[in-house]
Amino acid sequence: MAGVQLCIVVNSILTGKFFGSDGLAAMSVVSPIYSVYAAIGALIGIGGAIITSHSLGRDDKSEANSRFTCSFAFAILLSIVATILMLIFQRELLYILGCTDEIYSMSKSYATIYTIGGVF
C-alpha cells in the first residue's frame, strides 16, 4: 500500500508540473481505478498467502504450490475481467467518478493508460 501511495504522489507531482490544473483534475478522477487493481492484488494475495501457508504448515509443498498458482491465476483473471469491464464502460465510469466535459478527453486518455496497465 505504501508503494501505491508513493506512485500516486509521484504521479501528482509530474502531472501538475507538465499538465497543470486540468491534468491534476483528470488524475484525481482517474486515480480510483488504480486503487481497484491494488485492492484486487492485496485481497487475493493475502488470501492466497493464508491458504498457501496452511498447506506449508502441513508440509504439503505440492498442495501449497497448487494453491499459490491458483491464487496468482485468479488475481490475473479478475484483473483482466476488471480491465475489460472498465474499458467497455469507461465513459460511464469516468462520469461516476466525477469527470466533467471539460476534462473528459484528458481523463479518457489517462484512464485508458491506467486501465490497460492495471493488469501488470
Side-chain angles (χ1 to χ4, degrees):
M1 295 311 287
V4 169
Q5 294 306 315
L6 180 63
C7 287
I8 290 171
V9 168
V10 171
N11 281 343
S12 297
I13 292 169
L14 293 175
T15 301
K17 179 96 170 142
F18 293 108
F19 299 107
S21 61
D22 284 348
L24 284 172
M27 196 193 88
S28 295
V29 167
V30 174
S31 65
I33 292 172
Y34 192 77
S35 298
V36 168
Y37 291 108
I40 289 170
L43 292 173
I44 294 173
I46 291 167
I50 291 168
I51 62 172
T52 301
S53 296
H54 186 262
S55 295
L56 287 173
R58 290 182 294 139
D59 202 28
D60 189 352
K61 290 183 181 175
S62 174
E63 183 69 19
N65 287 337
S66 175
R67 289 179 175 196
F68 174 81
T69 302
C70 181
S71 297
F72 185 76
F74 183 60
I76 296 296
L77 178 67
L78 192 57
S79 294
I80 290 171
V81 168
T83 297
I84 291 168
L85 290 174
M86 283 192 271
L87 287 173
I88 290 172
F89 298 107
Q90 186 176 51
R91 182 176 190 84
E92 294 82 2
L93 177 63
L94 288 174
Y95 282 111
I96 287 170
L97 294 174
C99 185
T100 62
D101 291 331
E102 293 82 21
I103 62 167
Y104 177 75
S105 168
M106 188 177 286
S107 296
K108 183 178 189 275
S109 298
Y110 200 52
T112 301
I113 293 167
Y114 254 29
T115 305
I116 292 172
V119 173
F120 302 102

